[in-house]
Amino acid sequence: MKILTTILILSTLSFAAIGSAHEADCPYCKIKVVQNTKEQDNEVVLKVGNKRIEYRCLYCVIKDQGRYKGDLVVYAPSEKVGEPVILKRTEGKWTGPKDAVYLNTFKAHKDCAALSRAFTTKEAFAKYAKAHGQTEAKPLTLEQFITAITKPAKAAS
Amino acid sequence: MKTLSLPLALAVAALAGAQGGMPMPPNDLPKWLDANGADHLFYKPAPYNWAIDRIPAFAKDMYATGVGHAMAYEALVRGESPQLETKVYDQIHWVLKHQPTKPVDEGAISPTFQRQYGALEKVFDWAHTLHFQTIDVLAHPGWTDERREQEIEALWKFYTTQPYAITGAPMNMVFLDSFPYSGKFRAQFPKVNGLFWGYHWLQTVNYDMLFRVPVKDQAPQYAVIGERYHDAELYKTDRDFMPMTAELSPRFAKRFPMIANAFDNLHMLHDNVNDILVEPSLNEREKQEQVKIAIYRVLASTHQNEDWEDTEGKENTLHDHRHPMSMPGMGWMKGTDGDLMWMSGMGWMDMSVCAHCQIPFPDGPVWGATVSANGWTMTVRCMMCARDMASETPGKAIIRAATEDPARLLVLISDEEGNWTSNIPGVVFLEKAGDHPECSDWSRAFTSQAAFDKFIAETPELKGTASLSLTEWAQLNNGTPDTFRRIDKPNPYKP
C-alpha cells in the first residue's frame, strides 16, 4: 500500500496545476494576487510542508519567509509561460538555477507583481526591463536579490 | 401568520429615512422603551449554565467583550469621544489582554450610559444572555446532540417570551445601515470599531466550534481560533461589513436560522447605536429618540405578525426579510443576488455550491465539511476539497467533517505547514480521484478501518481501493479544480 500511495502522491504533485482556485490577497502585501494569463505567468507559489500558498511577487515571499519553519520551494513565474524559476530554501539557505537573474525595482506594492520577478537568462531580463521602462535596472543574482530585500533600509512601501 | 399590509410597510419605510432625513418614531413604540430603570432578567435555570468555563481561554475572551463595549459606551455618553481612539482604546485593549475570569456587570462600568439608555441595555443584556446560554448548552458534557438542540429550541422560546427579544427574522442589512448617521462611527473611530467587529467575529465564529462537536474536541479548536482572534481579527480596520453569523458558523446557522438572524440583528443594533452616539447633528434628546427607533426596528414585537416569506413589495424596507436562497440564517446583504454574495476575504461566492469546486452539495447525511482558515469558514462537499482549500490558505486551519457515523464529527486541525491532527485516532480516508461532480462519492472520511472496509464492500465500483492514513492523505493535493470559475464582479462595498 505504501508504494501505491507514494505513486499516487508523486503523480498528483507532478500533474496538478500549481496555484490556487480562489482569488486571494497576497499574505504579505494584502493586494490581490495577479492571475496567470496566456501570455505571462504571474502567480508566485510557495510550497511548504503540505501547503501551497500564492504570493503576489518574489519580494513578498522573501519578506514573509520568517513565518515558515520548514524547507520551502518557490515557483517564481519567469518570462516563459509554464516554466517557472524554481527556488529552494533548505535549512535556511536559498538556492536557484545558476543562470537565473532577478528584477526588483518597484517603489510601491501596486507594481510589485510586474517589477519583482525572476528570469531564466540575462537576455530575457533585458528584454522585459526594456519593455517595462526599467532601462536602468541591473539584473540581480539570487544572493543580491535576497540581500536587497532583507537589508533593513530597503525603501519599498 | 398575518401579513403586514403593503401601505403600512411603505409607510414604515418612509418613516425610516427614505426621505433622506433622520428616521421618525413610529406610532407603536413600546412603552417600556421610555423606562430606563433596572428590570434585570436572568438566565433560565439549568444544569449547563456557565459550562463555557470548561474552555477557560474562550470564556475569558467572551467576558472581556462585554467590558470593552461598556467602556466605549460610557466614554461616548460622557463626551470623551476625542479620546476614544487613544486613551479609551488603550484601556479596552488592556482588558483584552488581561481578561476577567468571571462575567462582569456592564452597569458597573457604564453607569452614565445605563442611566441614559437603560432600555437599550435591557435589549443588549437579554440577547447576550441568549448568546451565553446557547454556548453553555453546546459546551455542556453528558448530553446527546439531539438533547442539546432540543434545549436550544427551548432557550429560543424562553428568550422570545420577553418584550426585549430581538427578532429572528432575516433583516435587510443594507436598509438597516442606510440612515443619515450610518457608517459614521466606523469612519471616525476605525480602531475601536475594529475591536467591536472583532468581538462580533468571536461571538459568531464559536458556534461551529461547539455545534455537534464532542466537548473534549472543543477546547483544542479554540487554541487556533483564539490565536486568530488576538493576532488578527481584533485589529482589522478594513472589513467591508460586520461579521455575520452564517458566514462564520454556517452549520449552526443552518440548524438555527432564527438565532443566527437574532445575533446579526443585535450586532446591527450595536452599529446603529454607535453611529447615533457620534452623530454631531443630534442633541442628547434626539440621540435617545433615534436609539429607541433603532431598537424598535429589530424587536421581535415589531415583526411578530408578518409572513417572512412574503417579500413582495417589501424590498429594501424595514420588513424586507429576504435571504440568500440557501441561507435562511443570513439577512440580505449589499449586492446579494440569489445565492451569490460578497464575503470579506473570499470575494463573490455562490453559497449553494461547494466553495472549492463549485459543484452543488450532495443530498443525504454525508454533507461534506467546513474549512475555517484565515478568518473565514466555508462549506465544501468532500474531504479532498476541504484539504486542498486549506492547503492553499496561509496559516492554521480547522476542518469539521462528516464521517460514516452521523454522530461522530471529524475535527482536523492543521499547523502553518499543513500537518494535521485528528480528534479520531483511527481515522482513515478514501480518495480515489475522479471527476469533481462525484467527489463526495470517492473522497470521504471514516472513523475506522472497519468502517472503511464495510463501505468498500458495499460499493463495487470502489473495489480494491486502499485506505489512506491521515499522514498519507494530508500529503495529497489536487490543485485547482477544473470545475471552478471565478465570479468576476467588483466589491459592492468598494465599487
Side-chain angles (χ1 to χ4, degrees):
Chain A
M1 193 176 84
K2 274 190 175 169
I3 293 170
L4 183 70
T5 305
T6 306
I7 291 169
L8 183 59
I9 291 168
L10 288 175
S11 62
T12 302
L13 290 178
S14 302
F15 295 110
I18 296 169
S20 158
H22 307 287
E23 239 169 289
D25 292 341
C26 172
Y28 180 72
C29 72
K30 311 299 181 195
I31 301 177
K32 192 165 276 190
V33 172
V34 181
Q35 302 299 301
N36 293 342
T37 66
K38 282 180 184 172
E39 294 75 32
Q40 181 173 288
D41 285 348
N42 295 300
E43 299 160 22
V44 183
V45 178
L46 174 146
K47 188 167 186 316
V48 54
N50 297 319
K51 292 234 181 199
R52 294 173 179 208
I53 313 294
E54 281 192 11
Y55 284 79
R56 190 171 151 86
C57 74
L58 210 40
Y59 174 98
C60 290
V61 168
I62 302 299
K63 274 291 192 186
D64 206 37
Q65 63 169 310
R67 71 192 290 170
Y68 305 111
K69 295 185 181 73
D71 292 343
L72 309 179
V73 180
V74 177
Y75 300 84
S78 75
E79 76 284 1
K80 296 178 184 172
V81 173
E83 292 184 37
V85 169
I86 300 173
L87 307 176
K88 292 181 180 175
R89 189 189 77 180
T90 309
E91 295 180 357
K93 182 175 167 49
W94 283 98
T95 55
K98 70 178 174 50
D99 292 332
V101 291
Y102 305 86
L103 173 70
N104 190 50
T105 54
F106 73 94
K107 302 294 182 205
H109 269 283
K110 66 182 175 61
D111 300 318
C112 73
L115 299 179
S116 178
R117 297 184 64 96
F119 300 88
T120 57
T121 63
K122 283 182 180 172
E123 291 72 25
F125 173 96
K127 188 178 171 190
Y128 183 92
K130 187 180 176 188
H132 289 77
Q134 304 296 306
T135 49
E136 303 295 312
K138 299 277 186 289
L140 302 173
T141 64
L142 180 59
E143 188 180 350
Q144 289 169 330
F145 178 77
I146 291 170
T147 303
I149 292 169
T150 52
K151 69 183 180 185
K154 169 68 184 160
S157 57
Chain B
M1 267 193 278
K2 193 177 148 192
T3 306
L4 194 73
S5 70
L6 180 60
L8 179 56
L10 293 174
V12 171
L15 287 172
Q19 294 167 339
M22 287 293 169
M24 300 290 288
N27 294 325
D28 56 342
L29 268 185
K31 293 280 182 283
W32 61 264
L33 282 170
D34 292 322
N36 284 336
D39 182 15
H40 276 305
L41 298 167
F42 199 60
Y43 279 36
K44 179 175 184 271
Y48 48 78
N49 286 334
W50 292 282
I52 189 174
D53 288 331
R54 297 177 64 84
I55 313 171
F58 172 49
K60 283 163 49 180
D61 282 340
M62 285 291 288
Y63 299 149
T65 64
V67 176
H69 265 307
M71 282 177 157
Y73 284 142
E74 183 68 4
L76 285 171
V77 297
R78 289 166 64 107
E80 295 167 5
S81 59
Q83 287 91 49
L84 205 58
E85 288 281 274
T86 51
K87 182 182 162 192
V88 178
Y89 177 89
D90 290 343
Q91 288 171 341
I92 297 173
H93 193 251
W94 188 90
V95 174
L96 292 170
K97 298 287 180 193
H98 304 83
Q99 311 96 320
T101 54
K102 297 289 175 203
V104 176
D105 182 355
E106 293 178 26
I109 300 168
S110 53
T112 317
F113 182 75
Q114 194 97 353
R115 281 196 295 277
Q116 294 178 7
Y117 295 94
L120 172 66
E121 271 297 301
K122 291 171 195 174
V123 177
F124 282 162
D125 267 355
W126 193 224
H128 294 158
T129 300
L130 179 67
H131 250 316
F132 274 97
Q133 284 209 283
T134 47
I135 288 168
D136 285 341
V137 171
L138 295 171
H140 179 58
W143 280 6
T144 63
D145 290 337
E146 187 182 14
R147 178 71 189 90
R148 289 196 181 97
E149 289 171 40
Q150 282 172 357
E151 186 60 20
I152 290 175
E153 299 277 7
L155 275 175
W156 176 249
K157 280 187 186 159
F158 177 72
Y159 173 74
T160 51
T161 55
Q162 295 297 331
Y164 317 132
I166 288 174
T167 181
M171 298 285 284
N172 185 320
M173 293 292 151
V174 187
F175 175 79
L176 293 179
D177 199 34
S178 67
F179 304 106
Y181 48 73
S182 295
K184 294 270 171 77
F185 186 84
R186 72 196 74 148
Q188 284 183 50
F189 307 102
K191 284 167 60 185
V192 175
N193 188 69
L195 294 181
F196 285 0
W197 283 2
Y199 298 164
H200 295 167
W201 181 88
L202 179 70
Q203 287 161 347
T204 51
V205 78
N206 73 81
Y207 284 95
D208 267 13
M209 173 183 89
L210 305 171
F211 179 62
R212 293 183 185 170
V213 172
V215 168
K216 72 174 178 55
D217 301 323
Q218 294 172 343
Q221 294 177 75
Y222 196 70
V224 176
I225 291 170
E227 184 179 279
R228 175 80 197 175
Y229 172 65
H230 283 283
D231 289 353
E233 298 299 330
L234 279 170
Y235 307 108
K236 278 190 177 175
T237 55
D238 61 350
R239 290 184 201 273
D240 296 311
F241 200 71
M242 67 176 195
M244 300 288 285
T245 309
E247 281 184 302
L248 295 164
S249 287
R251 292 184 306 116
F252 178 82
K254 190 172 184 179
R255 174 64 182 82
F256 297 106
M258 63 288 189
I259 296 179
N261 288 323
F263 291 156
D264 292 338
N265 298 336
L266 162 73
H267 294 161
M268 191 69 234
L269 176 60
H270 267 295
D271 277 8
N272 281 170
V273 170
N274 299 343
D275 291 335
I276 291 165
L277 292 179
V278 300
E279 170 55 50
S281 71
L282 298 173
N283 61 32
E284 183 51 41
R285 187 194 60 76
E286 291 167 335
K287 285 179 183 177
Q288 296 204 15
E289 181 175 71
Q290 288 302 320
V291 166
K292 286 178 195 170
I293 299 169
I295 295 170
Y296 170 84
R297 284 195 293 261
V298 297
L299 285 178
S301 56
T302 304
H303 303 276
Q304 66 183 344
N305 293 322
E306 298 172 30
D307 177 358
W308 299 347
E309 296 302 321
D310 178 12
T311 60
E312 197 175 332
K314 298 171 192 167
E315 292 86 353
N316 306 313
T317 72
L318 177 61
H319 301 286
D320 180 357
H321 301 308
R322 289 175 295 166
H323 54 77
M325 280 185 291
S326 63
M327 300 173 79
M330 166 76 87
W332 200 251
M333 307 294 284
K334 191 173 274 192
T336 298
D337 181 8
D339 267 316
L340 213 58
M341 63 173 280
W342 174 266
M343 292 190 67
S344 286
M346 295 299 293
W348 285 97
M349 303 296 289
D350 183 340
M351 309 308 282
S352 68
V353 299
C354 171
H356 189 65
C357 72
Q358 288 190 333
I359 305 294
F361 294 112
D363 295 326
V366 182
W367 51 268
T370 60
V371 184
S372 297
N374 217 19
W376 46 255
T377 296
M378 298 302 300
T379 308
V380 295
R381 71 195 306 271
C382 75
M383 293 307 300
M384 179 184 67
C385 287
R387 179 201 60 219
D388 289 355
M389 193 163 184
S391 296
E392 66 184 35
T393 306
K396 296 173 182 175
I398 300 171
I399 291 175
R400 305 180 187 102
T403 65
E404 86 291 346
D405 181 350
R408 293 187 73 185
L409 191 86
L410 175 65
V411 179
L412 300 175
I413 299 176
S414 97
D415 64 13
E416 288 268 351
E417 300 186 359
N419 301 304
W420 294 94
T421 55
S422 168
N423 68 326
I424 300 176
V427 67
V428 294
F429 298 86
L430 167 67
E431 187 163 323
K432 186 184 182 189
D435 291 336
H436 262 284
E438 289 84 37
C439 63
S440 58
D441 294 339
W442 49 258
S443 174
R444 293 185 176 209
F446 297 86
T447 56
S448 66
Q449 184 65 43
F452 175 91
D453 292 341
K454 182 170 182 285
F455 181 77
I456 296 296
E458 293 168 352
T459 316
E461 59 269 31
L462 294 171
K463 188 180 175 187
T465 306
S467 65
L468 297 170
S469 69
L470 178 61
T471 304
E472 290 166 339
W473 173 84
Q475 291 173 43
L476 300 179
N477 190 316
N478 286 291
T480 304
D482 53 10
T483 50
F484 186 83
R485 300 287 179 274
R486 288 189 175 85
I487 301 167
D488 196 15
K489 289 170 66 175
N491 179 346
Y493 296 93
K494 294 167 186 159

